[in-house]
Amino acid sequence: MTLSGNGSQIEVRGARTHNLRSVDVDIPRDRLVVITGLSGSGKSSLAFATLFAEGQRRYLETLSAQARQFVRQLPHPDVDSVRGLPPTIAVDQRTGSARIRSTLATTTEIYDYLRLLFARAGQAHCPDCGLPVSQQSVEAIVDRILALGERRKVMILAPLITGRKGAHREVFEKICKAGLVRARVDGAVVDAADAPNLPRGQEHTIEVIVDRIIVKPGIEDRLKESVELALKHGDGSCLISQLDGENWHDRLYSSRYCCPECATSFPPLEPRTFSFNSPYGACPACRGLGVVPVNDERSSSRAKSARENLFRQPACPSCEGARLGPIARAVTFAGSNLPSLTAMSVDEASAFFTTLSEQEGSRVRECEAPAEPPRSGAFAARQEPRPPFNEPTAPGAGLANLEPEARQAALSILPDIASRLHYLQRVGVGYLTLDRPAPTLSGGEFQRARLASCLGSGLIGVCYLLDEPTIGLHPRDTARMLDVLTDLRDSGNSVLVVEHDEELIRQSDWLIDLGPGAGREGGHLVASGAVKNLSETSSPESRTVRWLTSSFSPALRAPSPPEAGAETETRWLRISGASLHNLKEVAVEIPLGTLTAVTGVSGSGKTSLVTGTLVPALKHLLPVNSARKDEAEADWNTLGVSLGSLTGSGHLDRIVVVNQSPIGRSGRSNPATHSGVWDEVRRLFAKTRDAKLRGFKASRFSFNARDGRCPTCEGRGEQRIELNYLPDAYVECPDCRGDRFNTQTLGIRFKEKNLADVLALRIDEAAELFENVPKIRRVLDTLREVGLGYLLLGQSSLTLSGGEAQRVKLATELCKQGEDRVLFVLDEPTTGLHPLDVQRLLLLLRKLVEQGHSVLVVEHNLDVIRASDWMIDLGPDGGVDGGQLVAAGPPGELASSPGSSLTAQALAASCAKTRL
């Protein structure tokens, strides 16, 4: 591929971020570029720590002076120059960056369009009786005022501003020009000509006082004129405030919305009426969370606990988990209210809205009708005093009965909703519901949702950076993801992907390979060019090119599983009646003492079966130092486990779950602290001669010790800068320069190295330093075995990928092994691993099996599935079409007769082709 012309490439010169070794590389623009290399070779350092960091810095320079004050604190990436870099957008997998209130719909901006749709084309209903809300005439409002009784003091007001920030000087000028003299500002009556100076950063409510009267006979004409004037200035709304004792009580009347039976008035519908992030739309009982929070999320320390426990709480009894207030829940569009629409899966919602568009002759895309016939409208029967608002209805007459203005608004909004739903389907998450909380998504699901949002935005000329978008994808869905990425490219964008998937690498326009090894043995550019033009001759140091061009047919492992019979009865875990989420009374047998892979397309029920059912059940049956409970007598419903029965746990002593969640909650956490190495290092430093002379105990060498840590950064080595318009930025502590400890503590040395020097060592270097300290050396050797020798001992947990965090946990558990019979449960352990690193991981898993343990992995990687002893495939598809046991047995046997198993079909296809 020849690059020519100005601006045809991104030129990087002298990149030295992290372990990069003055890398010079030209990256073609408007192409699909894959950055590969072994784990720790510098891929993320080039893509995110260099290119994205530089793009973020340049963006900040274009902002206002208030924003630019932070620019000088943001570190420049360690690079000589970057030329030709377009605006950058990083689409990563960190679900921790998602707010507690975020959902799939809000993440993709679909919810913004839904709020606008319901505000402009929704039919309001009374939340008490369910009747459609009708307009109130001026005469009806006057009658309501007269009904208050004689001698009642009343103010007639027109609402102008409700809960909006600003000084609002123009509002008071408008009041004076209208010939009115008084207003009520935030509850206080003021003179409009002498308006108060309102703080711009606070929300304010302003109502103009049209008239003040005392109700008495003969006042009808004056009341009518005042009400008409209030409705005029209030844009159809009129506020009547009556004096009751010493307090004024308000009642809103509207020429637009009023229940004819309850005589209850409602404010005009606005987009914020349907926002659970706004006090004007959120359920007042749960504040828009859907559950009654046990902690105050405004406190940062309590927010972490809230994030962990929030989604396990029972639904709010007031809104039943809908998050919205009663008025918003009572508004319908095409017979459905907003909570019922967001409770649909992406596939169901896409069919719903596409059908609406097709009925109006606006064909968005072809889509099959829902499998089940839609139900009747929520308000079809008048005899129901409080009709349900949680059932989607037929869109048959959805737009036909709307007023022309509302119908036109709906027709302009529907294509945007349908388009974003379509992109979500294309990236393979059609099985997810729109109200699915974003923090509960897997990293891959969250990244694909954000990618769909990028597609829907229609941006061009942008450089997208993605971190392994195929993570969590079944081989069946990889082709879909490739189509999405090529669409981004063909729209005029540059797409840079850090990836290990073979199919995506082969279909890319350009390959950049870093290496040749990891850590300090990496950071070099070992290959760059069109994939078809690369060879071992042109790129002799590239292990990726060698892997791509090697010729072999991978072999399937064909083990001999335990034979059925009384003697082997106890070597199986037997699950029956698993029905969590989309599982359909699944019954499955898991052989112990083997490497078992649970497979299936995304959303097929793998996580529900393993993490949501098996793991909590075994944790109940295998308590530490406690008598084993009777499996048959376990009350699974009480424990919150959707399970019929579980047998066979009697031959397990422990269960170890190794997932991809962060190894710590703050930047102080690192591989050394999580693995327990740091405790031994602290004890070692406390035994040195200088430490004894100064009276330093082991506790002083902790990041949490005030006496020993840097007081400025509190042992983090960096400071966080909060930017509301961008992700938080982290800068090196100006006092300790990243060393984390104060000068006195750093004065203690072991083999000429202080604590900061030790933390800056790679794990394999630290193993040499502490080779004569068995407790430390054993843990470090295990970390090297799992392929993490390139990590720094003190590398912040915030910088570790999900796969790296998982391997740190695995190594820590391996160091604890004794005589117990352990079931290891791993969730996609190949995340972030180069194919050559996967082989090393497989050797480690096989070693565990040889030691008598059992290993259960949820995995899509065909190399891992191929090397497994037993395969359990769920499906046949995702969401409502999944949750069934499709196939179980040795992978070799299943691949020879794949049947309806998509995984077995992928295995068979993989073994049939040879790399060329």
Side-chain angles (χ1 to χ4, degrees), residues 309-581:
N309 301 309
L310 178 64
F311 306 109
R312 299 179 183 178
Q313 302 298 322
C316 169
S318 178
C319 66
E320 297 181 349
R323 298 188 174 200
L324 296 174
I327 295 177
R329 299 198 304 271
V331 179
T332 62
F333 173 78
S336 298
N337 71 341
L338 186 52
S340 70
L341 287 180
T342 56
M344 294 181 181
S345 68
V346 170
D347 290 334
E348 293 168 341
S350 180
F352 180 87
F353 285 107
T354 301
T355 302
L356 280 177
S357 298
E358 289 175 347
Q359 289 174 348
E360 292 298 321
S362 175
R363 186 171 181 269
V364 179
R365 68 179 181 87
E366 294 183 3
C367 181
E368 295 181 358
E372 296 181 1
R375 305 184 183 183
S376 58
F379 297 97
R382 278 287 308 271
Q383 63 270 22
E384 295 184 306
R386 294 180 63 87
F389 294 98
N390 59 349
E391 295 291 345
T393 59
L399 303 185
N401 295 333
L402 295 178
E403 295 294 329
E405 183 179 351
R407 180 175 176 273
Q408 186 60 40
L411 288 176
S412 65
I413 299 171
L414 286 175
D416 292 295
I417 298 176
S419 174
R420 281 166 168 75
L421 290 170
H422 173 59
Y423 286 127
L424 282 173
Q425 289 177 302
R426 290 192 60 191
V427 298
V429 293
Y431 58 92
L432 294 175
T433 58
L434 292 174
D435 60 0
R436 174 78 174 265
T440 67
L441 298 174
S442 68
E445 289 171 336
F446 183 64
Q447 185 183 44
R448 293 196 290 278
R450 294 187 60 200
L451 181 59
S453 179
C454 294
L455 285 165
S457 66
L459 294 176
I460 60 173
V462 172
C463 178
Y464 288 98
L465 297 108
L466 294 93
D467 187 11
E468 293 196 77
T470 62
I471 287 178
L473 279 183
H474 190 273
R476 190 277 305 266
D477 297 320
T478 302
R480 295 182 184 177
M481 175 58 66
L482 183 59
D483 289 341
V484 170
L485 297 179
T486 54
D487 277 357
L488 272 180
R489 176 202 62 191
D490 296 342
S491 298
N493 300 298
S494 303
V495 183
L496 272 63
V497 182
V498 176
E499 187 55 83
H500 295 300
D501 182 79
E502 179 183 358
E503 187 66 22
L504 201 155
I505 293 175
R506 291 189 181 279
Q507 297 299 323
S508 65
D509 300 319
W510 199 264
L511 173 67
I512 295 174
D513 192 38
L514 298 176
R520 295 183 182 176
E521 280 73 45
H524 298 278
L525 181 67
V526 294
S528 179
V531 178
K532 61 182 179 180
N533 297 333
L534 296 175
S535 65
E536 290 190 55
T537 303
S538 63
S539 309
E541 292 186 293
S542 174
R543 300 186 185 182
T544 301
V545 172
R546 189 184 315 158
W547 168 71
L548 286 172
T549 56
S550 62
S551 178
F552 69 93
S553 294
L556 279 162
R557 181 178 179 85
S560 299
E563 298 179 358
E567 185 176 337
T568 60
E569 185 74 19
T570 56
R571 298 179 61 185
W572 296 80
L573 281 175
R574 288 184 169 85
I575 297 174
S576 67
S579 57
L580 179 66
H581 299 149

Side-chain angles (χ1 to χ4, degrees), residues 160 169-183 190-195 208-209 233:
L160 302 181
R169 301 296 305 177
E170 72 284 355
V171 175
F172 295 103
E173 293 175 1
K174 180 180 177 181
I175 293 174
C176 294
K177 289 180 180 179
L180 301 172
V181 296
R182 292 183 181 85
V190 301
D191 191 333
D194 188 19
V208 59
I209 300 177
H233 289 293

Side-chain angles (χ1 to χ4, degrees), residues 220-239:
E220 291 82 358
D221 293 339
R222 178 180 172 180
L223 271 179
K224 183 177 179 181
E225 293 179 2
S226 298
V227 169
E228 289 176 343
L229 186 59
L231 291 172
K232 176 183 176 182
H233 289 293
D235 193 23
S237 296
C238 173
L239 198 64

Side-chain angles (χ1 to χ4, degrees), residues 52-61 63 67-78 719-723 725-732:
F52 176 63
E54 177 64 12
Q56 185 183 47
R57 185 189 67 81
R58 293 181 182 182
Y59 170 73
L60 283 174
E61 289 182 344
L63 298 181
R68 288 201 303 271
Q69 65 179 315
F70 298 107
V71 174
R72 64 177 62 93
Q73 299 184 54
L74 289 178
H76 289 242
D78 194 359
Q719 292 180 304
R720 182 177 68 175
I721 300 175
E722 295 185 0
L723 302 175
Y725 41 83
L726 284 175
D728 293 343
Y730 293 86
V731 297
E732 185 181 80

